[in-house]
Amino acid sequence: MPSVFSHAIAAVAIGGVAVEGRSRAAIWGLGALCAVAPDLDVVSLLFGIPYSHVLGHRGLSHSLLVAALLATLVTALARRNLAESPGTAKLWLFFFLATASHGLLDAMTNGGLGVAFFAPFSDTRYFLPWRPILVSPISIHVFLGYRGVRVMWSELGWIWLPAALVLLAGLALRRRATSRRLL
Ligand SMILES: [Zn+2]
């Protein structure tokens, strides 16, 4: 996995383009949580479930089906609790993309097993053909060491920088659209 911070920042970048309105900060925050959630599957290691199992790391929790289900749940929560939120379809699409971006980024890392995008229908693990991101260690101790520094450096270049550019472009486009509306 890229580190949790990088998954969260990718979701915020998507939110910067896709979600506007007064509740946007809360919605971006929920999207960031969605983007981090698939890695809760590391608890499976504590239960002795092998990495390659469909319930193992990067298995079912990283699938598109779980992304769709989580998006449905979080959309319902957001619609109920946020006074002003975008429409259901837009919210769902954002939460789905935020969650699915996790598997996509994992599939661009250079280590571990691939991502079971189509679980539970297929156990096949996938990587993208292009895998520039250094894989982040699961152990927090290793992450805090030299390898963690190298991983963060890799993620800064391959995730944070593109995410910042996407976010700024989204905000700039929106500002232009708003000022055009005011003219
Ligand atoms: Zn992951």
Side-chain angles (χ1 to χ4, degrees), residues 93-154:
L93 190 64
F94 167 58
F95 291 131
F96 174 75
L97 290 177
T99 315
S101 74
H102 182 116
L104 207 65
L105 289 176
D106 276 4
M108 290 169 66
T109 61
N110 70 345
L113 294 179
V115 177
F117 285 117
F118 304 109
F121 310 108
S122 160
D123 285 358
T124 311
R125 302 294 190 109
Y126 296 89
F127 277 117
L128 293 195
W130 187 56
R131 298 160 60 190
I133 305 169
L134 278 188
V135 73
S136 177
I138 293 173
S139 150
I140 190 77
H141 299 293
V142 180
F143 184 74
L144 292 175
Y146 172 65
R147 200 168 137 214
V149 174
R150 285 185 53 216
V151 166
M152 277 315 293
W153 184 245
S154 157

Side-chain angles (χ1 to χ4, degrees), residues 1 7 38-39 41 57-58 62 102 106:
M1 57 174 185
H7 283 303
D39 272 346
D41 67 4
H57 187 44
R58 291 185 175 175
H62 286 52
H102 182 116
D106 276 4

Side-chain angles (χ1 to χ4, degrees), residues 5-68:
F5 315 108
S6 296
H7 283 303
I9 208 76
V12 171
I14 299 168
V17 176
V19 180
E20 55 190 338
R22 266 206 273 169
S23 301
R24 66 177 184 268
I27 294 167
W28 293 0
L30 285 171
L33 288 177
C34 285
V36 170
D39 272 346
L40 292 175
D41 67 4
V42 292
V43 297
S44 64
L45 296 171
L46 299 178
F47 293 108
I49 300 173
Y51 193 149
S52 56
H53 192 274
V54 69
L55 294 178
H57 187 44
R58 291 185 175 175
L60 183 64
S61 66
H62 286 52
S63 69
L64 295 174
L65 179 70
V66 165

